[in-house]
Amino acid sequence: MKKLLIVILLFVLCGTIGVQASALAQTDPSVENTTEQTTPADQTESKGGGIDWMQVIFAGSYLLGVFVLFPLVVYTNYQEKMLGDENPDKFKIPEDLSEEERNDRAEQVLVGIEEKLTPFTDDEGNEMITITSGAQARYMRHGLNYINTRLCPSDPVVCARVEEFLNVYKDRTTREFTGSKWILGCAIGILVFMGIMDIGILLSSFTLIHIIGITFYYLSSRTARYALEKRMENFNSRKLGIIGGVMAALFAGFSIKEYVSVNGGPWQRDYESEGTSTMILIVAIVMVAFFVGFLVAFFGILNFIINYSTSFINPLKKPEDWYAAKFKEQEVAMVS
């Protein structure tokens, strides 16, 4: 048992020294010059620069997830909750439209929304419509936002329908966290480990980026109700649980008991072998946890594709631009 512990420690130390030596060789000019002197010119030219794909995945995930997708996720979550509670300062009613024209245009948008949604029959036999996809949710949100901030209809019937559609939208876009708590735990565990090793590391820029990456993963793992229902129909599960399954399988190894019989004698617990297996499991769990923790932004990108790729709200798209793209052709056709 002691020999195994010594071997494991030596293995870890050798790996650490190897990594440090490799990093030093890449940054120390003297090492580079020595390498260039001992390497033939033809061999140097024939060797192409290798790509460290793991480093590309780590760095690319943080860059794309933290600096590009994270603001979109935050903005989308905020806009989904704030629909119907707009600030009056944001109202921009077109001056060239009369009150009747604004009511008619609001009715036109509501009809477009109704045609876009999915019809179904409830338990009482009533014909209803609902949201079943991200594209429908985004279309409905843009339409209702245009009515509330640009048209402000006064017709009681139109206002009642707008309120009804708002209730449908808020109910169907309610989000719930369906990500992996293992990934969150591993990512947070990295910060705890860094703080134990050197408290000064927690004040670095990486810590801030990593915390944003954790927040990005949490928000991107929030699934809308319509998507959650579809997932239950297709997979009969609220989450895929791949990482959780791997970690659970590793921790299940601690429950294994080992027995040994010496020279045909009675079976006895082999505590030394169990201790060896436990140490191997601990090393494996730590390695997997670190690997998973550093990939938190990468998993966030995957969840963004699943939960937000068709429903995210573009902050640069104005309500009037949306209406022009969706309904101007209909107006031209009606006039002609």
Side-chain angles (χ1 to χ4, degrees), residues 235-257:
F235 302 101
N236 197 26
S237 175
R238 303 172 70 87
K239 59 180 71 177
L240 299 179
I242 298 176
I243 301 299
V246 173
M247 299 300 292
L250 289 174
F251 276 98
F254 289 114
S255 62
I256 297 177
K257 308 299 181 184

Side-chain angles (χ1 to χ4, degrees), residues 75-95:
Y75 183 79
T76 299
N77 277 266
Y78 175 77
Q79 290 297 325
E80 287 178 348
K81 291 183 178 180
M82 295 303 295
L83 183 63
D85 300 326
E86 286 83 2
N87 189 340
D89 296 335
K90 296 182 179 180
F91 292 172
K92 297 180 181 179
I93 301 176
E95 297 180 356

Side-chain angles (χ1 to χ4, degrees), residues 116-182:
K116 194 77 172 179
L117 300 185
T118 301
F120 73 100
T121 304
D122 63 6
D123 297 335
E124 299 179 357
N126 299 320
E127 296 292 333
M128 309 287 288
I129 54 175
T130 189
I131 298 173
T132 58
S133 68
Q136 292 175 342
R138 181 161 56 186
Y139 188 95
M140 191 175 192
R141 189 267 169 193
H142 282 306
L144 294 176
N145 184 57
Y146 177 74
I147 293 175
N148 289 334
T149 61
R150 297 298 185 267
L151 301 179
C152 298
S154 58
D155 189 334
V157 177
V158 173
C159 292
R161 291 189 64 193
V162 170
E163 188 66 25
E164 181 181 355
F165 279 19
L166 278 173
N167 293 333
V168 173
Y169 178 83
K170 290 185 177 181
D171 176 71
R172 299 297 292 171
T173 57
T174 300
R175 294 185 178 271
E176 178 182 343
F177 177 76
T178 59
S180 172
K181 295 180 181 179
W182 282 109

Side-chain angles (χ1 to χ4, degrees), residues 58-71 216 297 301 304-305:
F58 285 140
S61 298
Y62 279 108
L63 289 175
L64 178 61
V66 172
F67 296 103
V68 179
L69 300 182
F70 176 68
F216 166 62
I301 293 174
F304 175 88
I305 296 174

Side-chain angles (χ1 to χ4, degrees), residues 189-209:
I190 289 177
L191 296 178
V192 175
F193 177 79
M194 290 169 55
I196 295 175
M197 297 299 294
D198 185 1
I199 192 66
I201 299 179
L202 296 180
L203 303 178
S204 63
S205 57
F206 169 77
T207 301
L208 177 61
I209 294 176

Side-chain angles (χ1 to χ4, degrees), residues 8-9 11-12 16 58 182-183 185-194 196-197 243 246-251 254 277-295:
I8 293 175
L9 290 175
F11 177 78
V12 174
T16 305
F58 285 140
W182 282 109
I183 295 178
C186 293
I188 296 173
I190 289 177
L191 296 178
V192 175
F193 177 79
M194 290 169 55
I196 295 175
M197 297 299 294
I243 301 299
V246 173
M247 299 300 292
L250 289 174
F251 276 98
F254 289 114
S277 301
T278 299
M279 290 302 303
I280 295 175
L281 277 174
I282 291 175
V283 173
I285 290 172
V286 171
M287 293 177 63
V288 172
F290 267 80
F291 182 76
V292 170
F294 278 114
L295 283 177

